[in-house]
Amino acid sequence: MPKVRTHRPRRSAAVLRERRRENRVLRNLTERLKVSNFLTVLGMEESDVDRYGSWAGKHIVNAYRAAHYGYNPRTTRKRTKPCKGYPEGRWIKVFVYRATDPALITGCASYKRTAPFVQGMFAPAA
């Protein structure tokens, strides 16, 4: 007896593809923040964001990984400031977070340079 091959009909594959397309649109509608944007919203000066943003980002990504079973957040590309050899800056990959993600606050609270800004804005009501 010949082996019968079973496969998914083309119609169901098209339905699945359409469902993924709709989910992608909804996923992209949520606003994403870079760490530098979040620190600016907190009230840090631009020079401090440049100086401490990378370390704050490391604390924030660790908080995100702890809350999401070791997964990394989504990434985007960002152009750096001009430097030697790159007069227009260069493109680097950075993590982006939802504006409501608690990892932003938790990570900033765990880093001593950004903790005062977070505690001032998100202090629990007494």
Side-chain angles (χ1 to χ4, degrees):
M1 184 172 202
K3 192 173 188 180
V4 178
R5 293 178 55 167
T6 59
H7 65 280
R8 197 168 52 200
R10 289 180 188 261
R11 187 179 58 79
S12 63
V15 169
L16 181 61
R17 189 170 41 250
E18 184 62 31
R19 187 180 308 145
R20 284 182 179 157
R21 186 178 296 126
E22 291 171 1
N23 288 341
R24 191 177 307 119
V25 169
L26 291 174
R27 183 182 66 221
N28 292 338
L29 284 177
T30 59
E31 182 182 351
R32 304 280 178 167
L33 289 174
K34 294 179 242 176
V35 172
S36 57
N37 296 347
F38 182 70
L39 294 177
T40 304
V41 168
L42 287 180
M44 286 186 79
E45 295 180 17
E46 177 111 12
S47 60
D48 289 340
V49 171
D50 292 342
R51 183 182 295 164
Y52 306 123
S54 176
W55 284 100
K58 291 176 185 184
H59 284 265
I60 292 170
V61 77
N62 286 337
Y64 185 92
R65 287 178 184 144
H68 293 91
Y69 305 103
Y71 287 100
N72 283 332
R74 292 182 70 184
T75 58
T76 189
R77 292 174 4 127
K78 171 187 170 182
R79 188 184 290 269
T80 61
K81 294 186 175 182
C83 60
K84 184 177 179 181
Y86 298 97
E88 296 177 3
R90 59 189 180 108
W91 289 98
I92 59 172
K93 290 182 181 178
V94 293
F95 292 120
V96 289
Y97 306 88
R98 287 195 169 107
T100 58
D101 199 340
L104 289 168
I105 298 167
T106 306
C108 283
S110 68
Y111 182 45
K112 67 179 181 178
R113 302 286 185 181
T114 56
F117 294 97
V118 176
Q119 291 168 356
M121 284 188 88
F122 301 101

